[in-house]
Amino acid sequence: MSKIPLLGLQAAQFRHPLDLEATQMLQQLPGLDWLVRSVLGGMAEQVLYLENISSSVLVSNKQLPDLYHLLQEACHILDLDLPQLYVRQHPTPNAYTLAMRGKQPFIVVHTSLLELLDPGEIQAVLAHELGHLKCEHGVYLTLANLLVLAAGQLSPWGGLIAKSLQMQLMAWVRCAEFTCDRAGLLVSQNAKVMASVLMKLAGGSPTLASQLNVDAFIDQARAYDQVDNEWATLLKTLQTVELTHPLPVLRAREIDRWADSPSYQSLLQAHRYAHTTSALNNPYNCAGT
Amino acid sequence: MLTQHQLSTTPTIVLGHKHAGFPRDLGNPTVGKQYCHNGRMTLPPERLPQIQSTVMP
């Protein structure tokens, strides 16, 4: 079955609740997002553009076209303009973006990631990064970071206030990752694909790929939850508090849950209906005549 | 020894908390766990021969 394009999709429709709340709060401060986007973002974008164009491979319809088509389809589904895509030689499977829709938005994927994942999973990774771009996490998280930095300058309790704000900021950073895993699901339209990406990042390799079991990996989250006493709660908090991303098994479980949720199902259903209606009304569509 | 490769793959812009802001990545669990090598933060030791052979064949 072909994938449903989510035309007109808004970031707020798939943001994690905490990500949505925090972003809306910052959007109340007029001008600050513009400042981050145009001043800091503009400089960072230029530095990274020079680095990418000089030391990575720029993907296009003439360069790694299969990868380019995966990006094109993902952008079409998420209703987003095509960013530049670079492949970079690196032994650690990863991908990143500036997460800001400036003059030259981009995504970089590492070569080892392409070796580790199959095409559907690679597209889910691209969609995760496109999720950051769609939500412009780079703008809002940097802005929040600057505000925390400013709070730290307040005396005499500035340090304490900043510490508390920083913990909240990191909680937001982690929820922003849940948001982008949802973008991965919106493009793959199959929860197992996104969960498989997370499983392979946690313990995959090209030779193990065919033997890995996604359901068993999601079940690991249950084992994690079963370690439940005061000491374990403290350990889990310490383990998580400084992390930029939620723990892999929890990410896999979260995406599995969201796939079954009414919000995901209704989002897909609404666009499925719109897509079918538009296809039937198209006089050039052979299927509709 | 830090190779050009290692130096050029950490474009993080440090503002306040070093991991909050841009760029955003996918979240490989091993990323961010740095290793001290001759007094410098670098990649895990097992990665070094691989990188050095790539950069300096």
Side-chain angles (χ1 to χ4, degrees), chain A residues 90-168:
Chain A
H90 202 282
T92 303
N94 208 350
Y96 59 86
T97 174
L98 191 60
M100 200 173 287
R101 279 181 277 164
K103 288 180 186 159
Q104 288 168 311
F106 70 87
I107 293 172
V108 177
V109 291
H110 288 171
T111 45
S112 49
L113 184 93
L114 301 176
E115 301 294 335
L116 183 66
L117 305 180
D118 69 29
E121 293 162 347
I122 291 168
Q123 190 178 47
V125 168
L126 297 176
H128 175 101
E129 301 306 325
L130 290 172
H132 279 307
L133 272 169
K134 184 106 185 166
C135 296
E136 291 206 289
H137 284 135
V139 175
Y140 296 105
L141 290 171
T142 300
L143 178 54
N145 207 4
L146 289 173
L147 294 175
V148 170
L149 203 65
Q153 305 306 311
L154 300 171
S155 60
W157 299 289
L160 279 176
I161 295 170
K163 189 77 190 163
S164 155
L165 288 175
Q166 203 164 76
M167 283 174 69
Q168 292 175 49

Side-chain angles (χ1 to χ4, degrees), chain A residues 141 163 165-178 224 234-251, chain B residues 17-21 24-34:
Chain A
L141 290 171
K163 189 77 190 163
L165 288 175
Q166 203 164 76
M167 283 174 69
Q168 292 175 49
L169 173 62
M170 292 313 287
W172 176 15
V173 165
R174 288 188 291 276
C175 287
E177 298 303 328
F178 282 141
Y224 179 83
L234 177 67
L235 279 180
K236 285 178 179 180
T237 305
L238 290 173
Q239 188 186 21
T240 310
V241 74
E242 279 284 303
L243 290 182
T244 57
H245 294 70
L247 297 166
V249 287
L250 302 185
R251 285 174 75 178
Chain B
H17 194 289
K18 63 183 176 185
H19 296 306
R24 306 304 315 156
D25 74 352
L26 179 65
N28 186 310
T30 60
V31 172
K33 287 181 184 164
Q34 296 176 315

Side-chain angles (χ1 to χ4, degrees), chain A residues 16-82:
Chain A
H16 186 277
L18 200 151
D19 183 19
L20 182 64
E21 191 186 336
T23 307
Q24 284 175 341
M25 202 167 68
L26 285 184
Q27 283 170 340
Q28 307 294 316
L29 306 170
L32 288 181
D33 57 341
W34 174 86
L35 202 68
V36 171
R37 195 181 281 110
S38 54
V39 181
L40 290 172
M43 282 193 293
E45 201 173 56
Q46 200 156 39
V47 170
L48 294 172
Y49 174 72
L50 288 174
E51 176 161 314
N52 289 333
I53 202 74
S54 62
S55 310
S56 310
V57 171
L58 176 59
V59 177
S60 69
N61 52 8
K62 291 181 286 184
Q63 181 72 275
L64 301 172
D66 291 349
L67 193 54
Y68 189 67
H69 293 147
L70 290 177
L71 177 70
Q72 280 181 311
E73 189 187 34
C75 287
H76 177 60
I77 293 171
L78 293 178
D79 200 7
L80 193 62
D81 290 338
L82 224 66

